[in-house]
Amino acid sequence: KPRRLDEISRFIQSTDATFPNAIILAANYDEEGQLVGEDRQWRLERGGDETLSLVIPEGAERASIIDGQHRLMAFNELPDGAKNRDMELLCVVFLDLPSPYHAFVFATINFNQVKVDRSLAYQLFGFQVEQQEPIEWVPETTAVAIGRLLASSDDSPFRGRISSGLVENIEEPAMAGPIEGQGAERLQVKISMATVVDGILRLITRNPRRDRDFMRSAENVGAKRGELSFPNEAPLRPLYMANNDRAVYETIRNYFIAVQDSIWEQAPQNSYLLKTVGVQAEFDVLRNLLMTNPPTRETTTIEHFRRVFHSVGERLNRDPNRYQASGIGRTRIREDILAALQ
């Protein structure tokens, strides 16, 4: 709103100008709402004195603004030479926060303080703040719901292994493998919810933003999943459009149970097969398998996936130093798994 920008810019030029409230940013997502590669992700590093430093890779300085757009844009309205142009601003940075969660943060701040047009929130974030019928869920909402189920269900191999991105989880432990002296207990992985949501999204849509824009456009308010175009562009999209989230969940769960049995439990601690790049590559392989052989009740069972992954873990774990935390590492893991499946 130009009028608001003008008001804030005049305030910035005043002698008592200050912004005690934080600008809220969300890092590690690109303009299309996709999770960026690990080599371009902001991260926290712990120093020897127990302090934490925010590391922003060169060329990856951009972040989404969840709250504070008007405050930041108002600086562009200042005249040349304005003394407060270089004012330092307090920021809160969310790392790996899935795009649908941006709406929750935005709504919590604004709907409870200053009335914000809900249509604006829906357009910007593609996510209903109020409870929706599942049949109206956009792909991101569906992916988050399934991700939560994977994180919490007793029958899920991801139970207790999905991190919310808190500081105490920045050191990523091994996903599986017996802890010495503790029998069958396992170390828990702390992959981010963003990794899981991104993997699920690629199974139900090729372009989440396009789907969201269609379902949240003014002329399509209340649109149902089945009204979307491009029904066969992703392997589990027919299930998504049919509102069969249970089948999507069970397919992913059954697949990763087989992955856990074949790969995770044979990998040494701190192997990249157990970390973010490994899980990303394993989601890539699932997508490849389902694109090659369209899912059926028989081809998505735990037993079927176990047969497919028989002896894969042995081949992948022969050289524990082969993989790395990068896009190259993800590609290499994916290609090695696919080669082992042949």
Side-chain angles (χ1 to χ4, degrees), residues 60-78:
E61 294 85 0
R62 289 190 175 187
S64 299
I65 306 168
I66 294 180
D67 190 68
Q69 292 93 338
H70 281 91
R71 277 170 282 168
L72 286 176
M73 295 303 101
F75 282 86
N76 293 332
E77 305 297 316
L78 298 179

Side-chain angles (χ1 to χ4, degrees), residues 12-224:
I12 294 173
Q13 297 175 68
S14 67
T15 56
D16 56 351
T18 181
F19 292 111
N21 294 332
I23 306 294
I24 301 180
L25 307 176
N28 298 344
Y29 276 82
D30 62 21
E31 293 180 353
E32 300 299 323
Q34 303 293 320
L35 185 68
V36 301
E38 286 194 357
D39 56 339
R40 300 185 61 245
Q41 291 185 5
W42 296 19
R43 64 186 185 276
L44 293 175
E45 290 186 352
R46 193 182 301 278
D49 56 356
E50 294 303 311
T51 60
L52 290 168
S53 298
L54 177 64
V55 178
I56 303 175
E58 183 177 356
E61 294 85 0
R62 289 190 175 187
S64 299
I65 306 168
I66 294 180
D67 190 68
Q69 292 93 338
H70 281 91
R71 277 170 282 168
L72 286 176
M73 295 303 101
F75 282 86
N76 293 332
E77 305 297 316
L78 298 179
D80 294 338
K83 67 174 184 177
N84 285 338
R85 181 178 292 276
D86 60 349
M87 179 190 298
E88 292 188 347
L89 299 174
L90 176 66
C91 293
V92 169
V93 181
F94 286 92
L95 302 179
D96 302 338
L97 186 71
S99 296
Y101 280 102
H102 298 184
F104 285 125
V105 179
F106 178 82
T108 299
I109 295 169
N110 291 289
F111 291 172
N112 294 334
Q113 298 179 19
V114 178
K115 182 67 175 179
V116 174
D117 184 353
R118 289 174 184 252
S119 296
L120 174 62
Y122 302 160
Q123 179 181 351
L124 291 176
F125 301 107
F127 191 80
Q128 289 277 14
V129 176
E130 297 179 349
Q131 181 66 38
Q132 289 178 295
E133 292 297 324
I135 199 170
E136 297 178 357
W137 284 354
V138 297
E140 287 116 321
T141 309
T142 304
V144 168
I146 295 173
R148 288 173 174 171
L149 198 59
L150 287 167
S152 60
S153 296
D154 291 335
D155 64 352
S156 168
F158 284 108
R159 178 176 171 79
R161 292 171 168 177
I162 298 178
S163 165
S164 59
L166 301 177
V167 169
E168 58 265 27
N169 293 326
I170 65 172
E171 295 181 359
E172 192 175 68
M175 178 179 297
I179 305 173
E180 185 176 354
Q182 297 186 28
E185 293 184 17
R186 307 288 185 184
L187 288 175
Q188 294 181 343
V189 69
K190 290 300 178 184
I191 59 170
S192 69
M193 176 63 78
T195 298
V196 176
V197 169
D198 186 59
I200 298 170
L201 275 174
R202 296 184 70 247
L203 297 174
I204 61 177
T205 181
R206 183 177 295 173
N207 192 326
R209 184 174 181 177
R210 178 204 61 204
D211 292 343
R212 183 177 68 245
D213 288 347
F214 173 84
M215 295 182 68
R216 293 293 171 264
S217 63
E219 60 271 22
N220 294 322
V221 173
K224 307 298 188 294

Side-chain angles (χ1 to χ4, degrees), residues 2 25 27 38 66 77 105 135 257 262 286 291 311 322 328:
L25 307 176
E38 286 194 357
I66 294 180
E77 305 297 316
V105 179
I135 199 170
I257 287 176
S262 178
L286 174 58
M291 291 293 287
S311 76
R322 175 170 169 77
I328 296 176

Side-chain angles (χ1 to χ4, degrees), residues 222-242:
K224 307 298 188 294
R225 305 182 191 186
E227 300 174 38
L228 288 168
S229 302
F230 310 103
N232 298 314
E233 65 176 9
L236 298 184
R237 189 171 179 84
L239 295 177
Y240 162 74
M241 294 182 66

Side-chain angles (χ1 to χ4, degrees), residues 299-310:
T299 61
T300 55
T301 64
I302 297 174
E303 292 72 22
H304 172 80
F305 285 126
R306 279 175 172 161
R307 288 194 297 271
V308 169
F309 274 83
H310 177 66

